Each structure stands twice: as C-alpha cells, then as structure tokens.
C-alpha cells in the first residue's frame, strides 16, 4: 500500500491506476478506524479494482468547544488495518495540501443540512461538504463510499454531488453495529464502561419507537416516550429524536411514506448519533 501526503505524487499514482484500467473507489475517513470503516473498504473492494482510503481530521467541520484536539489519531494502526484489507493507496494529506495558505472557498448545501446535526453543530456540514468536494476533485474516483450511520451527512453529500455535477457513484453502506445493537463510532472510545453499558438504550429506544410508528402509533407521543426512556437510562441530553422523510429529510409528523428515525443524544462527555429506517 502506498502512503501519499502530497498532491503531485497522489496524481501520479492515480494516473497509473487509470492507465491500468482500474475502477477507483474512494473511502474518506478521519481515521480512528473500526469495523464500520472496514466494511466500507470491503464494499469498495467488491465494486472497484483499486481502493483509495483517505485519513484527514478536518478542522472545518468541528465547531467551537468540540473535540478537534481530543479526536483520536492513530495513523500507524489505521494504515496497518487498511493494508491488510487490500487498500492500494492511503491518501493522508498534510493540512496545507487541503487548505493552502489564503484558502477562501466554502461549499454550503442549504435545506438538507438544516435541522438535526445542522442545528446542533452550526457550520458542521459546510466543513463536511467542502472537504468532501476537495477529496472528490483530488482523487476523481469512480465511486465513493459512506456509512449510513451519518445519514444526514450522506444526504448532504448526495445533494452536493448532484448540484455540482460530480458524476461518480455515491454509495451508502448500512450501519455496522456491536452485538448489542450500538452503532460503531470512533467516539465510542470516549465512553466509560458504565456509559457503554447504558448507551445501548439509544438503539433499543429507537427500534421500539420505529416499530410503534410503523404500527400506526402517534408519532409525537411515541417519540416523547422514547426521549423519556433515554433520559432515564443514563443519557443527560437529547439533541433530537425525529421522524424524517428518507430521501429529503423533511420533518414528518405522521408516517405516510418511507421514513428514517434519527437521533442524537449525550451520555457523559460523548454525543452519539444513530438512525434506523421506518417501513
């Protein structure tokens, strides 16, 4: 596996892939890799000839007081995982390769980035859209792979790709979970043993609520009950627990079409997000 940190060597390596006729798959990450990331790599390998993974902890998607400095960084261990998994190239750019001196351009996706994490983390999705657009231009993949766990992020990227005429496929990969149902996340490393035990209340409350809503129970009352159970199970704040249209993320007050239940809640110093389909 090649590890590349500068743009010119990246372009040279990608040119060789294209010369060989490879279909290139991109798996963008911020590192601290877990089984969810590795599932993205597996799907990319199934669909592409050469997988390029990126590791870049993007400062522009962290707000004031968020965990940029504390975000886990373990590039050597991550690189070893990627190499074993068969990734051909790791793009691990230095900051100046992504945001050169005087950088002044921002990508903002309105509408679909409003509400949910967009409301709780102002500016977050501008940072995501900007860095992903840059990764798309740097790598020019045939397909890019993202986890459904960050469902709003996936929706924002799909909207951006359509609006800015990126022609490669955007592939969403179902959430990978621990045996007890908790969605895998790099931030799970922040949880204490007690918090990790209590955190499973989030997917359980969401699944129970989704089942009730699909059975015709009133949405508002069902979600209010689920929030109450979360706050009684070790979570101290619920940013949101909402039913949204599965495609547009428009807020729904009744279940009349394919929908997604999305949540973000705080336990200890950790903010967990999750989502599940309602069908």
């Amino acid at each position: 596996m090649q590890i590349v940190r500068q743009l010119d060597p990246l372009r040279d390596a990608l040119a060789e892939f294209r010369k060989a006729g490879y279909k290139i798959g991109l798996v963008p990450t911020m590192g601290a890799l877990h089984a969810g990331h590795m599932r993205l790599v597996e799907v990319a390998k199934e669909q592409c000839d050469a997988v390029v993974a990126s590791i870049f902890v993007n400062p522009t998607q962290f707000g004031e007081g968020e965990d940029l400095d504390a975000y886990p960084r373990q590039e050597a261990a991550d690189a070893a995982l990627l190499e074993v998994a068969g990734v051909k190239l790791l793009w691990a750019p230095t900051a100046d390769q992504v945001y050169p001196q005087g950088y002044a351009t921002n990508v903002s996706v309105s509408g679909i980035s409003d509400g949910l994490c967009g409301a709780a983390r102002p500016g977050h999705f501008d940072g995501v859209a900007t860095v992903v657009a840059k990764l798309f231009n740097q790598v020019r993949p045939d397909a890019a792979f993202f986890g459904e766990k960050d469902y709003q992020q996936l929706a924002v990227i799909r909207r951006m790709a359509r609006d800015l005429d990126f022609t490669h496929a955007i592939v969403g990969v179902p959430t990978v979970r621990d045996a007890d149902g908790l969605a895998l996340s790099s931030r799970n490393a922040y949880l204490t043993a007690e918090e990790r035990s209590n955190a499973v209340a989030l997917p359980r409350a969401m699944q129970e609520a989704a089942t009730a809503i699909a059975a015709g129970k009133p949405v508002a009352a069902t979600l209010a009950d689920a929030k109450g159970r979360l706050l009684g199970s070790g979570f101290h704040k619920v940013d949101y627990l909402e039913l949204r249209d599965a495609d547009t993320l428009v807020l729904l007050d009744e279940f009349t079409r394919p929908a997604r239940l999305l949540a973000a809640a705080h336990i200890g110093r950790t903010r967990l997000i999750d989502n599940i389909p309602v069908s």
Side-chain angles (χ1 to χ4, degrees), residues 191-205:
L191 298 170
T192 66
E194 181 180 3
E195 290 164 358
R196 174 61 185 82
S197 178
N198 290 336
V200 72
L202 180 61
R204 288 176 180 170

Side-chain angles (χ1 to χ4, degrees), residues 25-111:
L26 172 65
V27 178
T29 85
M30 293 206 302
L33 303 183
H34 51 66
H37 296 107
M38 303 319 293
R39 178 59 184 153
L40 299 182
V41 171
E42 289 174 9
V43 175
K45 283 190 65 181
E46 291 168 2
Q47 298 186 20
C48 300
D49 305 303
V51 177
V52 176
S54 67
I55 294 178
F56 180 68
V57 181
N58 176 39
T60 65
Q61 69 191 67
F62 289 80
E64 184 177 352
E66 291 190 338
D67 59 345
L68 173 60
D69 292 337
Y71 196 86
R73 292 164 171 83
Q74 51 188 49
E75 186 187 297
D78 291 342
L81 286 173
L82 294 171
E83 185 164 24
V84 169
V87 169
K88 287 190 177 295
L89 187 148
L90 170 57
W91 172 227
T94 55
D96 65 298
Q97 297 297 289
V98 181
Y99 300 115
Q101 185 175 5
Y103 187 87
T105 301
N106 189 54
V107 178
S108 182
V109 183
S110 61

